[in-house]
Amino acid sequence: MESLLIEVSEWLASRGIDQWQFPPHRDRITAALHRGEVFLAEVEGRPIATLQLDNHADPEFWTAVDEPGNALYVHRMAVARDFAGFGVGGALLRWASDRAALMGKAWLRLDAWKDNLGLHRYYESQGFTLIRVINLPHRGSGALFQRPTR
């Protein structure tokens, strides 16, 4: 998973996007792996995409009014660049949405980098709605998206 995140980080940097321009949070990834919240898509044993899916509603973004317990949250989604454009990300998001629905959740949610408008358009093309943008000086992320699970 870490190598996928690094690959995507380098690709973002090559496009002048400052998202993920820090070493992956190995401690957070390891903890999420132990909790069974990290998922990989593979082709012939090679990881080509990943995401983390959990109940963690970042309290700096999602408030009680949002009913945070009524959603699952996508974090750290990345697709290997040579598999981009083939629908892998969309398939992962459909899988995550189905999983959330099976758990009785009404929403699949995520927060995206505030100034990565291409990413915003991608999530909107996947059926997500921009709920609001939270501007916190210590956070690059803060564009909040959700889509219904059914």
Side-chain angles (χ1 to χ4, degrees):
M1 174 180 181
E2 186 174 338
S3 63
L4 279 172
L5 297 176
I6 291 169
E7 176 186 342
V8 172
S9 170
E10 290 170 351
W11 175 76
L12 289 165
S14 75
R15 300 184 71 215
I17 300 169
D18 67 350
Q19 180 177 346
W20 288 2
Q21 297 308 301
F22 48 82
H25 297 286
R26 187 174 286 162
D27 57 332
R28 294 180 193 171
I29 293 168
T30 300
L33 280 165
H34 289 298
R35 291 190 304 267
E37 299 167 346
V38 175
F39 302 91
L40 290 172
E42 296 180 339
V43 170
E44 297 177 358
R46 175 187 165 210
I48 62 160
T50 185
L51 63 69
Q52 181 177 329
L53 184 66
D54 60 37
N55 289 305
H56 178 67
D58 189 319
E60 289 190 315
F61 296 152
W62 303 99
T63 68
V65 173
D66 298 312
E67 298 181 22
N70 202 16
L72 283 187
Y73 298 83
V74 173
H75 310 278
R76 289 185 268 284
M77 187 171 106
V79 175
R81 294 297 77 209
D82 56 336
F83 281 87
F86 293 102
V88 176
L92 281 177
L93 291 169
R94 282 188 302 279
W95 173 85
S97 189
D98 290 345
R99 188 173 175 98
L102 287 171
M103 295 175 69
K105 307 293 185 177
W107 303 103
L108 183 63
R109 291 181 174 152
L110 57 89
D111 60 89
W113 210 251
K114 291 178 283 199
D115 59 2
N116 188 341
L117 301 182
L119 185 59
H120 296 191
R121 287 189 295 276
Y122 171 76
Y123 285 126
E124 288 169 342
S125 78
Q126 297 300 312
F128 285 83
T129 300
L130 177 63
I131 301 304
R132 64 185 171 274
V133 176
I134 305 291
N135 286 304
L136 299 172
H138 61 286
R139 302 288 297 266
S141 195
L144 308 184
F145 289 86
Q146 71 180 16
R147 79 176 194 193
T149 59
R150 298 181 193 253

